[in-house]
Amino acid sequence: MTGDAPAGRDITDIFVIGGGVNGCGIARDAAGRGYTVRLAEMNDLASGTSSRATKLIHGGLRYLEYYEFRLVREALSEREIVWRNAPHIVHPLRFVLPYAKGLRPAWMLRTGLFIYDHLGGREKLPATRTIDLRSAPAGKPLKPGFSTGFEYSDCWVDDARLVVLNARDAADRGAIVETRREVVSVRATDGVWRIGMRDAETGREEEAFARLVVNAAGPWVDRIMEGPLAHREPHHVRLVQGSHIVVRKLYDHDRCYIFQNADNRIIFAIPYEQDFTLIGTTDRDYAGDPGAVAITDEETRYLCAAASEYFTREIGPADVVWAYSGVRPLYDDHATAAQEATRDYVIEDEKIDGAPLLNIFGGKITTYRRLAEAMLEKIGAGIGARGAPWTEDAPLPGGDFSGSAEDFANRLRAEKPFLPEALALRLARSYGTLAREILGDAKSMSELGRDFGAGLTEAELDYLVAREWARTAEDVLWRRTKLGLHGAASSAEAIDAYLKNKIKVGTETA
């Protein structure tokens, strides 16, 4: 090793900037191979792009139109791997693509779906089939003019929980994961990185030293390069805003829809959180602060109008019960339209004063694990290889059970008969086997402590603080869970007060 830290200071092998899905996936893979790892996230885990997606593990059917065959093949092969390793937070979906006259012809849709079925490693997911929308249940919510539909498979994922579980596994394997820790300077001297950090809550500053830095800051990747790194002018990321709306559920069956629009874009309509329908997404270039992104009135109207072209029930802005918006950090391939920009990832490696730096541009949540493996190859070349790829057959925390999340929920109720059916299902879908850590030795709901609404108990909050880096009501209500949609948002102040006291007591006794 070249370079030395000040006397008495340790040098970490890998320092990861960014607590999104890519950063946490890389930290997990690296820690599992025996590297020492430290990860710093300036806000909460998954507080940016990684919690504001359409929440799909999918190949990206529409990317075939842009000849992104490598990306689609890799994504399709990952669907069942991620599903297998996280059956609590991933489950299969069936999508219905109605044929609409005047848009893409039926032969093109059939051809695209044939390629989609056979390009990747589909084993358990059902193949595409043609359905008659005039008689199939999936046709009932649609306007009478749609007669033919194509039904195909993809998967759903709780995106924010995917990030947290990767971070949890990384920490269990020895990584140091720190949230609310902003990287303010990154300097290389004689082959060693010196990273300056600021605690967002206390303002306290500290330094860390590392042999290699991974810049996985997502929409902020260019800002890290021109700010803390201050070594060149970056022009690699195209920021694209994608927004979603949530309305009360529009239909009772479990199918999802993918709708074509006259402007050549597509939107999804997906059953969401039992009682709602999620509609999205938009694609528009974004030039502001990624942390300040918010859905616009124009986007809301666009999504409502696009859905209303297909559904019998008209949807308007007044029907929206929640909306969210994220900024996708796409690699800038100079495509004309935002929806045409590549969703593939690019890893750029370089050395500054002998210290390796790896920057990540672009990527999809579906391919985060493969991106991490590609990154570990670069890391091995930079500071020496350790271990071998291992994550393909390694369950994420809580995913070590057979069958579906519904099956596991039934097992939980058999172990804890006092659990309401809906709560057992939510715990199974969020935590899998880790739900047992939350429930402990409790023999009644009262033994889980105060209920803050929608079944959110003190026992669950204690677990989220101790094991999942939760610090605020927003962390809990909108990322670790979606209980903000189910009435618990009215207890946000009480939750914040409870968490603040819990964290204070934990700090004092540490």
Side-chain angles (χ1 to χ4, degrees):
M1 180 192 308
T2 59
D4 294 300
R9 304 298 292 271
D10 293 330
I11 301 179
T12 300
D13 291 326
I14 303 164
F15 191 99
V16 181
I17 304 172
V21 70
N22 289 334
C24 292
I26 291 163
R28 178 197 184 215
D29 195 335
R33 299 194 198 202
Y35 292 102
T36 56
V37 180
R38 187 168 183 174
L39 180 148
E41 161 58 44
M42 66 178 178
N43 296 308
D44 181 32
L45 296 173
S47 56
T49 308
S50 292
S51 64
R52 301 178 186 184
T54 312
K55 309 182 190 307
L56 298 178
I57 297 291
H58 68 139
L61 179 62
R62 69 190 180 95
Y63 306 150
L64 291 175
E65 287 188 305
Y66 304 113
Y67 308 107
E68 296 263 20
F69 295 110
R70 190 213 67 80
L71 172 63
V72 175
R73 181 186 297 109
E74 182 174 274
L76 288 171
S77 70
E78 283 297 289
R79 290 181 306 180
E80 295 193 22
I81 293 173
V82 181
W83 176 23
R84 180 175 70 242
N85 291 331
H88 45 332
I89 61 168
V90 178
H91 61 262
L93 297 173
R94 291 291 278 174
F95 283 84
V96 175
L97 170 56
Y99 165 64
K101 293 180 181 179
L103 299 179
R104 295 169 182 86
W107 68 263
M108 180 183 291
L109 300 180
R110 288 192 186 96
T111 301
L113 287 166
F114 178 85
I115 295 172
Y116 202 71
D117 269 351
H118 294 88
L119 190 61
R122 182 180 58 84
E123 295 180 4
K124 294 184 178 180
L125 293 171
T128 298
R129 69 185 185 114
T130 302
I131 60 174
D132 186 343
L133 294 174
R134 293 167 297 188
S135 58
K140 291 183 178 179
L142 302 179
K143 291 181 176 177
F146 300 104
S147 59
T148 301
F150 304 97
E151 188 179 271
Y152 70 94
S153 296
D154 267 322
C155 289
W156 166 266
V157 64
D158 187 328
D159 50 7
R161 293 213 55 77
L162 180 68
V163 176
V164 170
L165 294 179
N166 271 273
R168 181 66 265 155
D169 203 28
D172 288 344
R173 296 175 189 275
I176 298 171
V177 177
E178 298 172 296
T179 62
R180 272 83 179 184
R181 195 64 53 93
E182 182 179 3
V183 172
V184 294
S185 64
V186 187
R187 301 288 183 268
T189 305
D190 297 329
V192 173
W193 289 104
R194 186 179 196 133
I195 302 105
M197 296 174 287
R198 180 185 300 119
D199 189 303
E201 295 174 334
T202 67
R204 183 174 63 87
E205 296 192 357
E206 65 173 299
E207 285 187 324
F209 301 87
R211 300 171 63 198
L212 180 146
V213 165
V214 173
N215 179 10
W220 292 270
V221 64
D222 269 355
R223 296 193 182 191
I224 291 292
M225 293 173 69
E226 67 181 343
L229 276 164
H231 74 287
R232 62 191 173 91
E233 186 71 19
H235 290 291
H236 293 285
V237 172
R238 180 173 185 168
L239 300 181
V240 174
Q241 179 176 353
S243 298
H244 298 75
I245 59 174
V246 175
V247 300
R248 293 287 174 185
K249 69 177 181 179
L250 300 173
Y251 50 88
D252 292 325
H253 62 75
D254 63 356
R255 287 336 193 224
C256 309
Y257 294 94
I258 175 172
F259 295 144
Q260 305 178 76
N261 298 325
D263 60 5
N264 209 38
R265 289 156 61 179
I266 60 96
I267 66 164
F268 295 101
I270 302 170
Y272 187 60
E273 289 290 312
Q274 291 81 55
D275 300 323
F276 305 93
T277 301
L278 174 67
I279 300 171
T281 180
T282 59
D283 279 296
R284 52 184 288 164
D285 287 308
Y286 184 79
D289 176 4
V293 66
I295 189 170
T296 65
D297 291 341
E298 178 188 356
E299 288 178 298
T300 299
R301 290 192 298 271
Y302 173 85
L303 291 173
C304 290
S308 296
E309 286 290 318
Y310 286 84
F311 287 120
T312 301
R313 175 182 159 187
E314 293 285 322
I315 303 165
D319 296 306
V320 177
V321 298
W322 184 50
Y324 63 89
S325 190
V327 178
R328 307 182 192 99
L330 305 183
Y331 182 74
D332 190 359
D333 60 354
H334 305 294
T336 302
Q339 65 265 27
E340 296 174 3
T342 181
R343 264 57 175 177
D344 210 344
Y345 57 82
V346 173
I347 300 172
E348 179 189 81
D349 61 310
E350 57 183 310
K351 283 191 176 181
I352 299 176
D353 199 6
L357 169 68
L358 298 171
N359 299 297
I360 302 168
F361 306 99
K364 285 165 46 66
I365 196 167
T366 303
T367 54
Y368 87 93
R369 193 196 65 82
R370 289 288 290 274
L371 182 152
E373 288 188 338
M375 180 62 74
L376 265 293
E377 289 185 15
K378 299 278 190 181
I379 289 171
I383 61 174
R386 296 187 195 175
W390 62 277
T391 57
E392 182 173 346
D393 297 309
L396 283 166
D400 52 338
F401 63 89
S402 59
S404 67
E406 289 76 12
D407 294 333
F408 186 72
N410 291 332
R411 283 177 243 168
L412 276 183
R413 291 196 76 206
E415 297 168 14
K416 304 285 186 180
F418 64 85
L419 281 178
E421 183 177 352
L423 177 57
L425 183 58
R426 181 178 70 79
L427 293 176
R429 284 179 171 172
S430 297
Y431 306 101
T433 57
L434 296 178
R436 293 185 173 119
E437 293 188 23
I438 296 172
L439 298 171
D441 297 326
K443 295 179 175 59
S444 67
M445 284 299 298
S446 62
E447 291 184 27
L448 296 177
R450 176 182 174 185
D451 188 334
F452 288 87
L456 178 64
T457 63
E458 289 185 15
E460 187 172 356
L461 288 177
D462 292 351
Y463 175 86
L464 293 175
V465 170
R467 299 287 289 167
E468 293 197 358
W469 298 274
R471 299 184 70 84
T472 70
E474 182 182 352
D475 298 348
V476 172
L477 296 174
W478 300 106
R479 285 185 285 275
R480 306 305 184 280
T481 75
K482 292 296 182 289
L483 294 179
L485 274 173
H486 298 282
S490 61
S491 298
E493 289 187 11
I495 294 169
D496 269 328
Y498 181 85
L499 293 175
K500 185 176 181 180
N501 183 65
K502 186 72 181 178
I503 293 165
K504 178 182 178 182
V505 171
T507 302
E508 291 174 347
T509 58

